[in-house]
Amino acid sequence: MSSPSTMRPWWVLCIGLALAAAVPWIASEFVASVALGCLMYIALATSWSLFCGATRYLSLATSAFFGLGAYASATLLEVLPWPLVILSGAAIASAVAVLMGAAVLHLRGTYFAVLTFGMTELIRHAVTFVEKQVSGTVGRVLTVVPSNETVYLTVLAIAGAAIATALLVKRSRFGLALSGIGADEQRAQTLGVDTRRMKVMGFALTAAFAGAVGAAMAVRWTYIDPPAVFSPFIGFQTVLIAMIGGAASIGGPVAAAIVFSLLSETLRLQLPYGYMMVLGLLLILCVMYLPNGLASLWRRKAAEARP
Protein backbone atom coordinates (compact mmCIF):
# COMPACT_ATOMS: atom_id res chain seq x y z
CA MET A 1 0.00 0.00 0.00
CA SER A 2 1.32 3.42 -0.99
CA SER A 3 2.20 5.81 1.79
CA PRO A 4 0.94 9.44 1.84
CA SER A 5 4.48 10.72 1.18
CA THR A 6 4.69 8.50 -1.92
CA MET A 7 1.36 9.72 -3.31
CA ARG A 8 1.96 13.42 -2.55
CA PRO A 9 3.92 14.16 -5.77
CA TRP A 10 1.15 12.57 -7.84
CA TRP A 11 -1.53 14.66 -6.15
CA VAL A 12 0.53 17.81 -6.68
CA LEU A 13 1.00 16.87 -10.35
CA CYS A 14 -2.73 16.25 -10.91
CA ILE A 15 -3.74 19.51 -9.22
CA GLY A 16 -1.09 21.47 -11.13
CA LEU A 17 -2.20 20.01 -14.47
CA ALA A 18 -5.85 20.78 -13.72
CA LEU A 19 -5.07 24.41 -12.84
CA ALA A 20 -2.80 24.86 -15.87
CA ALA A 21 -5.42 23.36 -18.20
CA ALA A 22 -7.84 26.18 -17.37
CA VAL A 23 -5.42 28.99 -18.32
CA PRO A 24 -6.42 29.42 -22.02
CA TRP A 25 -10.07 29.89 -21.05
CA ILE A 26 -9.75 32.14 -18.01
CA ALA A 27 -6.67 34.25 -18.82
CA SER A 28 -5.66 36.63 -21.58
CA GLU A 29 -3.86 35.52 -24.73
CA PHE A 30 -0.60 37.03 -23.44
CA VAL A 31 -0.81 35.10 -20.15
CA ALA A 32 -1.59 31.89 -22.06
CA SER A 33 1.47 32.50 -24.25
CA VAL A 34 3.69 32.97 -21.19
CA ALA A 35 2.22 29.82 -19.63
CA LEU A 36 2.96 27.93 -22.85
CA GLY A 37 6.61 29.01 -22.62
CA CYS A 38 6.71 27.80 -19.00
CA LEU A 39 5.31 24.41 -20.00
CA MET A 40 7.78 24.10 -22.85
CA TYR A 41 10.79 24.55 -20.57
CA ILE A 42 9.23 22.41 -17.83
CA ALA A 43 9.07 19.53 -20.31
CA LEU A 44 12.56 20.16 -21.68
CA ALA A 45 14.29 20.70 -18.32
CA THR A 46 12.51 17.78 -16.61
CA SER A 47 13.29 15.33 -19.41
CA TRP A 48 16.90 16.57 -19.59
CA SER A 49 17.30 16.05 -15.84
CA LEU A 50 15.77 12.58 -16.09
CA PHE A 51 18.92 11.35 -17.84
CA CYS A 52 21.63 13.95 -17.30
CA GLY A 53 20.79 14.64 -13.66
CA ALA A 54 21.06 10.96 -12.78
CA THR A 55 24.08 10.02 -14.89
CA ARG A 56 25.89 13.40 -14.62
CA TYR A 57 26.36 13.52 -18.38
CA LEU A 58 26.20 17.10 -19.69
CA SER A 59 24.26 16.91 -22.95
CA LEU A 60 24.02 19.96 -25.22
CA ALA A 61 21.89 18.18 -27.83
CA THR A 62 18.44 19.35 -26.69
CA SER A 63 18.15 21.91 -29.49
CA ALA A 64 18.95 19.18 -32.06
CA PHE A 65 16.07 16.99 -30.87
CA PHE A 66 13.77 20.02 -30.58
CA GLY A 67 14.61 21.07 -34.15
CA LEU A 68 14.11 17.57 -35.54
CA GLY A 69 10.67 17.45 -33.94
CA ALA A 70 9.83 20.88 -35.35
CA TYR A 71 10.81 19.89 -38.89
CA ALA A 72 8.93 16.60 -38.57
CA SER A 73 5.85 18.61 -37.63
CA ALA A 74 6.28 21.06 -40.52
CA THR A 75 6.68 18.17 -42.97
CA LEU A 76 3.94 15.84 -41.75
CA LEU A 77 1.28 18.27 -40.53
CA GLU A 78 -0.64 18.26 -43.81
CA VAL A 79 -0.71 14.46 -44.19
CA LEU A 80 -1.07 13.10 -40.62
CA PRO A 81 -3.46 13.82 -37.75
CA TRP A 82 -2.09 15.97 -34.91
CA PRO A 83 -1.42 13.16 -32.37
CA LEU A 84 0.60 11.20 -34.95
CA VAL A 85 2.57 14.33 -35.83
CA ILE A 86 3.64 14.67 -32.18
CA LEU A 87 4.51 10.97 -31.95
CA SER A 88 6.48 11.18 -35.21
CA GLY A 89 8.53 14.09 -33.85
CA ALA A 90 9.28 12.10 -30.70
CA ALA A 91 10.15 8.94 -32.66
CA ILE A 92 12.49 10.70 -35.10
CA ALA A 93 14.33 12.53 -32.31
CA SER A 94 14.59 9.31 -30.29
CA ALA A 95 15.97 7.35 -33.27
CA VAL A 96 18.64 10.02 -33.89
CA ALA A 97 19.47 9.98 -30.16
CA VAL A 98 20.07 6.22 -30.30
CA LEU A 99 22.57 6.69 -33.14
CA MET A 100 24.18 9.70 -31.47
CA GLY A 101 24.32 7.96 -28.10
CA ALA A 102 25.91 4.85 -29.56
CA ALA A 103 28.64 7.06 -31.02
CA VAL A 104 29.45 9.39 -28.12
CA LEU A 105 28.11 7.97 -24.83
CA HIS A 106 31.39 6.19 -24.15
CA LEU A 107 32.82 9.65 -23.41
CA ARG A 108 32.23 11.78 -20.33
CA GLY A 109 32.68 15.33 -19.10
CA THR A 110 33.85 18.05 -21.47
CA TYR A 111 34.39 15.65 -24.36
CA PHE A 112 30.77 14.46 -24.29
CA ALA A 113 29.39 18.01 -23.96
CA VAL A 114 31.49 19.33 -26.86
CA LEU A 115 30.63 16.39 -29.10
CA THR A 116 26.89 16.67 -28.48
CA PHE A 117 27.05 20.37 -29.30
CA GLY A 118 29.11 19.63 -32.41
CA MET A 119 26.65 16.96 -33.56
CA THR A 120 23.81 19.42 -33.02
CA GLU A 121 25.49 21.86 -35.36
CA LEU A 122 26.12 19.03 -37.83
CA ILE A 123 22.41 18.13 -37.82
CA ARG A 124 21.45 21.78 -38.30
CA HIS A 125 23.73 22.16 -41.32
CA ALA A 126 22.59 18.80 -42.73
CA VAL A 127 18.93 19.89 -42.53
CA THR A 128 19.84 23.20 -44.18
CA PHE A 129 21.63 21.36 -47.02
CA VAL A 130 18.72 18.98 -47.59
CA GLU A 131 16.22 21.85 -47.58
CA LYS A 132 18.20 23.70 -50.24
CA GLN A 133 18.55 20.60 -52.39
CA VAL A 134 14.94 19.41 -52.11
CA SER A 135 12.80 22.54 -51.89
CA GLY A 136 15.25 25.20 -53.00
CA THR A 137 14.66 27.20 -49.84
CA VAL A 138 15.99 27.15 -46.27
CA GLY A 139 12.72 27.32 -44.32
CA ARG A 140 9.12 26.12 -44.42
CA VAL A 141 5.81 27.96 -44.25
CA LEU A 142 3.18 26.32 -42.04
CA THR A 143 -0.26 26.84 -43.56
CA VAL A 144 -2.34 24.18 -41.77
CA VAL A 145 -2.03 24.52 -38.00
CA PRO A 146 -4.25 23.50 -35.06
CA SER A 147 -5.84 26.03 -32.72
CA ASN A 148 -3.88 27.74 -29.96
CA GLU A 149 -5.88 25.83 -27.34
CA THR A 150 -4.95 22.50 -28.96
CA VAL A 151 -1.27 23.41 -29.00
CA TYR A 152 -1.39 24.56 -25.36
CA LEU A 153 -3.10 21.37 -24.15
CA THR A 154 -0.65 19.26 -26.16
CA VAL A 155 2.40 20.90 -24.57
CA LEU A 156 0.69 20.62 -21.18
CA ALA A 157 0.20 16.88 -21.76
CA ILE A 158 3.86 16.50 -22.79
CA ALA A 159 5.04 18.38 -19.70
CA GLY A 160 2.80 16.27 -17.47
CA ALA A 161 4.06 13.09 -19.14
CA ALA A 162 7.67 14.20 -18.64
CA ILE A 163 7.13 14.80 -14.92
CA ALA A 164 5.20 11.53 -14.50
CA THR A 165 7.94 9.63 -16.35
CA ALA A 166 10.61 11.20 -14.15
CA LEU A 167 8.68 10.14 -11.03
CA LEU A 168 8.29 6.58 -12.30
CA VAL A 169 11.90 6.27 -13.49
CA LYS A 170 13.28 7.57 -10.20
CA ARG A 171 11.56 4.72 -8.34
CA SER A 172 12.39 2.00 -10.88
CA ARG A 173 15.36 -0.30 -11.45
CA PHE A 174 16.09 1.67 -14.60
CA GLY A 175 16.40 4.86 -12.55
CA LEU A 176 18.57 3.07 -10.01
CA ALA A 177 20.86 1.94 -12.84
CA LEU A 178 21.14 5.50 -14.17
CA SER A 179 21.96 6.80 -10.68
CA GLY A 180 24.57 4.05 -10.30
CA ILE A 181 26.17 5.15 -13.56
CA GLY A 182 26.32 8.70 -12.28
CA ALA A 183 27.85 7.65 -8.96
CA ASP A 184 30.45 5.20 -10.29
CA GLU A 185 30.04 3.74 -13.77
CA GLN A 186 32.77 1.11 -13.41
CA ARG A 187 31.28 -0.10 -10.13
CA ALA A 188 27.84 -0.30 -11.77
CA GLN A 189 29.34 -2.48 -14.51
CA THR A 190 30.86 -4.85 -11.96
CA LEU A 191 27.43 -5.17 -10.33
CA GLY A 192 25.95 -6.39 -13.61
CA VAL A 193 24.45 -3.21 -15.04
CA ASP A 194 24.57 -3.00 -18.84
CA THR A 195 25.69 0.61 -18.67
CA ARG A 196 25.90 1.16 -22.43
CA ARG A 197 22.32 0.03 -23.02
CA MET A 198 21.01 1.97 -20.02
CA LYS A 199 22.70 5.18 -21.19
CA VAL A 200 21.39 4.87 -24.74
CA MET A 201 17.86 4.17 -23.47
CA GLY A 202 17.95 7.16 -21.12
CA PHE A 203 19.36 9.43 -23.82
CA ALA A 204 16.65 8.32 -26.27
CA LEU A 205 13.93 8.89 -23.67
CA THR A 206 15.14 12.44 -23.10
CA ALA A 207 15.24 13.06 -26.86
CA ALA A 208 11.69 11.76 -27.32
CA PHE A 209 10.25 14.46 -25.06
CA ALA A 210 12.35 17.19 -26.70
CA GLY A 211 11.21 16.04 -30.13
CA ALA A 212 7.57 16.01 -29.05
CA VAL A 213 7.88 19.54 -27.64
CA GLY A 214 9.54 20.72 -30.85
CA ALA A 215 6.76 19.20 -32.96
CA ALA A 216 4.11 20.93 -30.87
CA MET A 217 5.83 24.32 -30.66
CA ALA A 218 6.67 24.48 -34.38
CA VAL A 219 3.09 25.49 -35.23
CA ARG A 220 3.39 28.58 -33.04
CA TRP A 221 5.42 30.13 -35.87
CA THR A 222 4.06 30.57 -39.37
CA TYR A 223 7.57 30.11 -40.75
CA ILE A 224 10.43 27.99 -39.40
CA ASP A 225 14.05 27.69 -40.49
CA PRO A 226 17.08 25.83 -39.07
CA PRO A 227 18.61 28.80 -37.18
CA ALA A 228 15.33 29.30 -35.28
CA VAL A 229 14.42 25.74 -34.28
CA PHE A 230 17.99 24.45 -33.89
CA SER A 231 18.95 27.52 -31.86
CA PRO A 232 21.68 26.79 -29.28
CA PHE A 233 19.82 29.14 -26.92
CA ILE A 234 17.09 26.51 -26.47
CA GLY A 235 19.62 23.89 -25.42
CA PHE A 236 21.69 26.19 -23.22
CA GLN A 237 18.63 27.59 -21.42
CA THR A 238 17.34 24.08 -20.79
CA VAL A 239 20.65 23.07 -19.21
CA LEU A 240 20.88 26.26 -17.13
CA ILE A 241 17.31 25.94 -15.84
CA ALA A 242 17.85 22.29 -14.88
CA MET A 243 21.18 22.98 -13.17
CA ILE A 244 19.96 26.04 -11.27
CA GLY A 245 16.82 24.23 -10.14
CA GLY A 246 18.73 21.08 -9.24
CA ALA A 247 19.21 18.49 -11.98
CA ALA A 248 19.08 15.57 -9.54
CA SER A 249 15.56 16.55 -8.40
CA ILE A 250 12.18 16.71 -10.13
CA GLY A 251 10.59 19.74 -8.50
CA GLY A 252 13.70 21.92 -8.90
CA PRO A 253 13.70 22.10 -12.73
CA VAL A 254 9.92 22.62 -12.73
CA ALA A 255 10.11 25.56 -10.33
CA ALA A 256 13.14 27.03 -12.11
CA ALA A 257 11.41 26.77 -15.51
CA ILE A 258 8.43 28.74 -14.21
CA VAL A 259 10.58 31.41 -12.55
CA PHE A 260 12.89 31.93 -15.51
CA SER A 261 10.10 31.92 -18.07
CA LEU A 262 8.41 34.72 -16.13
CA LEU A 263 11.74 36.53 -15.75
CA SER A 264 12.44 36.27 -19.46
CA GLU A 265 9.13 37.84 -20.42
CA THR A 266 9.58 40.65 -17.90
CA LEU A 267 13.20 41.47 -18.62
CA ARG A 268 13.05 41.09 -22.40
CA LEU A 269 10.56 43.95 -22.57
CA GLN A 270 12.48 46.29 -20.26
CA LEU A 271 16.08 45.07 -20.40
CA PRO A 272 16.73 42.92 -23.50
CA TYR A 273 20.07 41.66 -22.18
CA GLY A 274 19.13 41.68 -18.51
CA TYR A 275 17.61 38.22 -18.59
CA MET A 276 20.80 36.50 -19.70
CA MET A 277 22.80 38.52 -17.16
CA VAL A 278 20.49 37.39 -14.35
CA LEU A 279 20.60 33.79 -15.60
CA GLY A 280 24.39 33.83 -15.80
CA LEU A 281 24.73 35.43 -12.36
CA LEU A 282 22.43 32.85 -10.75
CA LEU A 283 24.32 30.03 -12.44
CA ILE A 284 27.64 31.36 -11.07
CA LEU A 285 26.16 31.67 -7.57
CA CYS A 286 24.67 28.18 -7.72
CA VAL A 287 27.94 26.61 -8.91
CA MET A 288 29.85 28.39 -6.12
CA TYR A 289 27.43 27.96 -3.21
CA LEU A 290 24.74 25.47 -4.30
CA PRO A 291 26.33 22.91 -6.64
CA ASN A 292 23.23 20.70 -6.36
CA GLY A 293 20.88 23.54 -7.31
CA LEU A 294 18.13 25.33 -5.46
CA ALA A 295 16.47 21.99 -4.68
CA SER A 296 19.24 21.33 -2.15
CA LEU A 297 17.81 24.17 -0.02
CA TRP A 298 14.47 22.38 0.21
CA ARG A 299 16.12 19.08 1.12
CA ARG A 300 18.25 20.83 3.74
CA LYS A 301 15.19 22.44 5.35
CA ALA A 302 13.31 19.12 5.27
CA ALA A 303 16.24 17.38 6.94
CA GLU A 304 16.41 20.07 9.66
CA ALA A 305 12.67 19.76 10.26
CA ARG A 306 12.88 16.04 11.01
CA PRO A 307 13.23 15.21 14.73
Side-chain angles (χ1 to χ4, degrees):
M1 187 174 179
S2 301
S3 64
S5 61
T6 304
M7 293 303 297
R8 189 179 298 115
W10 294 101
W11 282 111
V12 172
L13 176 60
C14 291
I15 294 171
L17 291 176
L19 293 175
V23 169
W25 288 270
I26 65 174
S28 65
E29 187 175 344
F30 174 75
V31 173
S33 178
V34 173
L36 181 64
C38 291
L39 293 173
M40 167 184 158
Y41 279 107
I42 285 173
L44 291 177
T46 302
S47 60
W48 186 91
S49 298
L50 188 153
F51 170 73
C52 297
T55 61
R56 300 181 183 179
Y57 273 77
L58 182 61
S59 170
L60 298 178
T62 301
S63 55
F65 306 138
F66 182 93
L68 287 170
Y71 261 89
S73 179
T75 305
L76 302 173
L77 197 57
E78 296 183 2
V79 296
L80 290 179
W82 179 242
L84 289 182
V85 169
I86 302 301
L87 291 176
S88 298
I92 291 171
S94 185
V96 172
V98 170
L99 297 176
M100 186 186 296
V104 302
L105 275 171
H106 63 283
L107 302 171
R108 288 193 73 104
T110 307
Y111 299 102
F112 177 77
V114 170
L115 271 178
T116 52
F117 180 75
M119 296 186 82
T120 299
E121 290 298 295
L122 176 64
I123 292 171
R124 178 172 71 87
H125 288 294
V127 170
T128 303
F129 176 78
V130 171
E131 283 286 277
K132 288 182 178 179
Q133 295 297 318
V134 174
S135 60
T137 183
V138 179
R140 289 179 178 266
V141 178
L142 282 72
T143 56
V144 179
V145 297
S147 64
N148 290 338
E149 290 78 12
T150 300
V151 176
Y152 180 89
L153 292 177
T154 301
V155 178
L156 175 63
I158 296 170
I163 298 172
T165 302
L167 288 171
L168 291 172
V169 167
K170 197 166 187 177
R171 292 173 171 83
S172 67
R173 297 184 65 181
F174 176 49
L176 184 62
L178 293 179
S179 298
I181 292 171
D184 189 336
E185 187 167 346
Q186 290 184 345
R187 183 178 177 84
Q189 286 178 332
T190 59
L191 293 175
V193 177
D194 188 347
T195 56
R196 186 177 182 84
R197 184 167 65 91
M198 293 294 106
K199 289 188 293 184
V200 171
M201 288 173 57
F203 196 51
L205 184 59
T206 294
F209 283 107
V213 173
M217 292 297 294
V219 301
R220 294 288 292 174
W221 302 293
T222 56
Y223 176 83
I224 66 169
D225 59 357
V229 296
F230 289 95
S231 172
F233 177 78
I234 295 173
F236 287 138
Q237 181 155 306
T238 298
V239 174
L240 291 176
I241 287 174
M243 291 180 66
I244 291 172
S249 68
I250 297 175
V254 173
I258 295 172
V259 170
F260 287 112
S261 295
L262 296 176
L263 270 178
S264 67
E265 294 299 329
T266 303
L267 294 176
R268 281 175 187 170
L269 296 176
Q270 300 177 1
L271 298 170
Y273 300 102
Y275 170 64
M276 294 306 297
M277 291 172 63
V278 171
L279 199 64
L281 179 61
L282 285 177
L283 178 63
I284 293 171
L285 292 175
C286 280
V287 170
M288 291 176 63
Y289 301 107
L290 291 172
N292 295 320
L294 297 176
S296 62
L297 292 177
W298 306 337
R299 288 194 291 266
R300 190 182 304 169
K301 289 183 178 180
E304 291 174 353
R306 295 194 190 100

